[in-house]
């Protein structure tokens, strides 16, 4: 009986540490959570897909209107598949919370739900990768290189603005004497 309680307590402790570890990983170093959503989920993928939404970027990269339409449709179709998967993950997380707070916690039940969540997250990741591969296969090598260069320029511009801070180009305001 004592061994069972120790096992159950250690399982709950591991799950608690795993849950707190994921929340800390999501927060990163910033104080207010994942505002930019840059850390942890493939920043380059998100930036590239956001850039492909812009018509000016598509023109600058030399992508035709027909290809741009196919790219947009591919991204929209993948988004249609993403939302139900995210909803299923949320439902399973609620189920896991209920299983953890029920009177008698079943280790098998909790692990089964955790496996479901893991599989759903993997499906999301696979969908993201497949979408990116489809989009990149629609583009020529020159267009991909041009998009990368545009992304680098935008990042440098953003970094300069970020370094300046709230005060703009002048930097810190000096005190008058």
């Amino acid at each position: 009986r004592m061994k069972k309680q120790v096992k159950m307590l250690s399982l709950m402790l591991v799950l608690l540490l795993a849950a707190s570890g994921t929340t800390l990983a999501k927060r990163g170093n910033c104080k207010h959570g994942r505002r930019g959503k840059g850390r942890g989920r493939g920043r380059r993928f998100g930036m590239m897909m956001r850039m492909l939404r812009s018509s000016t970027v598509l023109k600058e990269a030399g992508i035709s209107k027909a290809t741009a339409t196919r790219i947009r449709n591919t991204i929209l179709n993948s988004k249609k598949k993403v939302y139900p998967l995210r909803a299923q993950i949320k439902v399973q997380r609620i189920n896991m919370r209920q299983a953890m707070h029920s009177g008698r916690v079943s280790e098998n039940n909790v692990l089964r739900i955790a496996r479901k969540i893991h599989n759903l997250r993997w499906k999301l990741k696979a969908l993201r990768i497949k979408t990116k591969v489809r989009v990149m296969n629609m583009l020529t090598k020159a267009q991909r290189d041009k998009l990368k260069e545009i992304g680098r320029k935008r990042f440098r511009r953003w970094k300069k603005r970020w370094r300046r801070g709230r005060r703009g180009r002048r930097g810190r305001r000096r005190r008058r004497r």
Side-chain angles (χ1 to χ4, degrees):
R1 181 171 164 89
M2 185 69 163
K3 285 183 181 181
K4 248 186 185 179
Q5 288 178 345
V6 170
K7 282 182 184 178
M8 197 54 119
L9 186 61
S10 63
L11 173 69
M12 290 176 66
L13 184 65
V14 166
L15 289 174
L16 182 66
L17 287 174
S20 65
T22 55
T23 57
L24 289 175
K26 281 183 181 179
R27 285 188 63 171
N29 294 333
C30 67
K31 191 173 171 184
H32 304 289
R34 292 185 60 190
R35 282 192 177 156
K37 295 183 180 128
R39 292 183 193 96
R41 265 205 298 173
R43 179 186 179 106
R44 299 298 294 174
F45 174 79
M47 185 189 75
M48 184 70 81
M49 292 297 136
R50 280 193 303 275
M51 278 187 358
L52 287 172
R53 280 191 256 156
S54 169
S55 58
T56 55
V57 170
L58 293 173
K59 286 178 187 173
E60 194 178 334
I63 298 171
S64 67
K65 286 187 178 181
T67 307
T69 306
R70 283 194 344 225
I71 288 170
R72 283 194 189 103
N73 288 338
T74 303
I75 292 170
L76 288 174
N77 287 335
S78 74
K79 277 188 176 184
K80 285 181 192 175
K81 295 173 186 173
V82 164
Y83 289 117
L85 284 173
R86 284 186 185 162
Q88 287 177 8
I89 289 172
K90 284 185 179 183
V91 167
Q92 291 302 323
R93 288 177 67 194
I94 291 169
N95 289 342
M96 181 137 91
R97 203 171 302 130
Q98 281 179 339
M100 289 299 288
H101 294 294
S102 65
R104 183 105 173 125
V105 180
S106 169
E107 182 179 354
N108 292 331
N109 191 23
V110 172
L111 290 175
R112 184 175 45 81
I113 295 170
R115 253 186 245 112
K116 282 183 185 177
I117 293 172
H118 173 75
N119 291 336
L120 289 169
R121 284 189 179 151
W122 170 247
K123 284 180 185 177
L124 269 177
K125 191 171 191 171
L127 181 65
R128 221 177 275 132
I129 291 168
K130 286 177 186 176
T131 303
K132 185 167 183 178
V133 167
R134 283 188 199 122
V135 169
M136 290 300 131
N137 285 336
M138 289 180 199
L139 303 172
T140 63
K141 174 80 172 138
Q143 290 170 337
R144 277 183 260 160
D145 293 340
K146 185 69 176 172
L147 278 173
K148 284 179 188 174
E149 184 57 38
I150 292 168
R152 285 189 196 111
K153 283 180 185 176
R154 285 180 163 214
F155 180 72
R156 284 187 209 118
R157 225 180 331 166
W158 172 82
K159 200 171 181 180
K160 275 184 184 177
R161 263 187 282 143
W162 181 77
R163 281 185 181 162
R164 274 189 244 141
R166 290 189 302 190
R167 303 244 184 240
R169 291 181 184 197
R170 292 180 296 165
R172 293 184 181 185
R173 224 180 338 190
R174 294 184 182 155
R175 287 186 183 177
R176 293 183 186 177
R177 293 185 183 182

